[in-house]
Amino acid sequence: MLLRRRIPQAAALAAVALACGGSNSTSPGTYDPDIPAAWAAAVTNPLFPLAPGTVWHYRAETGDGVETTRTEVLPETRIISGVTSTVVHDQVFLDGELVEDTFDWYAQDTDGNVWYLGEDSKEIENGQVVSTQGSWEWGVGGALPGIIMWADPAAHMNEEYRQEYLKGVAEDLAKVVALDASAQVPAGSYSGCLKTQERNALEPNSTEFKYYCDGVGTVLETNGSRDELQEVTGP
């Protein structure tokens, strides 16, 4: 969401106007991103690096208990709308019990922008899948990809853009609010980080801030509580 995709989903639609991937400002019903003509072989954006075998561990103290997240870049790939995507496995535990199990799909264009192409998300209670709400895939049911990380964030300061789009299901948005933020978490102290403000257009009061740091990815989320990077292993 590193990859932190866990803004709650809801059924109500909020009207917004924004731009994504260089497209003109559009309403939710006319979102039309500029799909890249060429794609890179791997996701290497330094603020969102996805080297297979990398694992991030996060921890947050919430009103429901201690939430821990394990995020791993898998060696496998998935073809989505003709594009080879990197597969990331994200597991969320509440007081040690698995409550969410998600596979996210990402690809980088040749300009260095990282696109979010979809997710297969399952909410779990007592070991049973109780919901797949929020799942989407580019090309299925009108779903479209969005930007998860710009190649040049400075060129998009305070510009709200879509990270994903399936009307009424997947409508996360973000904007760059700082280019030289600092964050101190158990994994270390970081400076020169990108800070974004992110929200779900379907969920009131869903705003959170994320800190993306060079060579690491997401190190911190704040939305009333702190979801902190504990360690990162692998390449």
Side-chain angles (χ1 to χ4, degrees):
M1 210 246 233
L2 166 76
L3 306 175
R4 332 308 300 127
R5 303 303 314 154
R6 294 177 290 102
I7 298 176
Q9 300 294 332
L13 176 65
V16 292
L18 46 96
C20 177
S23 62
N24 293 328
S25 183
T26 59
S27 70
T30 59
Y31 173 60
D32 185 21
D34 292 338
I35 301 300
W39 299 86
V43 179
T44 58
N45 186 305
L47 293 171
F48 205 85
L50 297 182
T54 307
V55 181
W56 294 260
H57 296 271
Y58 300 89
R59 183 181 187 277
E61 294 186 7
T62 75
D64 296 322
V66 175
E67 183 179 272
T68 55
T69 303
R70 182 183 189 274
T71 299
E72 179 180 6
V73 183
L74 303 182
E76 65 194 65
T77 58
R78 180 183 174 96
I79 304 298
I80 298 177
S81 291
V83 177
T84 300
S85 66
T86 297
V87 181
V88 175
H89 188 202
D90 194 66
Q91 292 180 299
V92 182
F93 301 83
L94 184 62
D95 291 334
E97 181 179 352
L98 182 65
V99 294
E100 185 174 325
D101 195 15
T102 301
F103 292 91
D104 295 295
W105 309 309
Y106 301 90
Q108 182 173 301
D109 64 33
T110 52
D111 290 329
N113 303 299
V114 183
W115 291 74
Y116 188 35
L117 308 188
E119 65 177 292
D120 176 10
S121 180
K122 298 178 176 66
E123 295 181 17
I124 299 171
E125 291 182 7
N126 300 318
Q128 301 295 317
V129 176
V130 296
S131 176
T132 59
Q133 175 69 17
S135 297
W136 64 282
E137 181 177 337
W138 175 22
V140 177
L144 290 166
I147 294 288
I148 198 70
M149 182 56 64
W150 296 106
D152 182 12
H156 302 277
M157 178 69 73
N158 294 317
E159 168 193 305
E160 191 166 60
Y161 53 92
R162 287 196 181 277
Q163 297 179 310
E164 58 181 10
Y165 185 67
L166 178 57
K167 185 177 180 180
V169 175
E171 299 198 33
D172 287 358
L173 306 113
K175 63 180 175 181
V176 175
V177 296
L179 300 170
D180 193 21
S182 298
Q184 185 167 348
V185 296
S189 297
Y190 301 91
S191 60
C193 301
L194 173 69
K195 182 180 179 181
T196 62
Q197 178 179 310
E198 305 188 11
R199 68 183 181 93
N200 181 352
L202 305 174
E203 183 72 15
N205 304 316
S206 63
T207 299
E208 62 184 1
F209 294 93
K210 297 182 184 179
Y211 297 74
Y212 300 88
C213 302
D214 189 55
V216 181
T218 307
V219 303
L220 175 65
E221 283 185 23
T222 62
N223 59 353
S225 61
R226 289 171 59 90
D227 199 353
E228 302 176 321
L229 179 65
Q230 304 296 301
E231 65 173 345
V232 57
T233 61

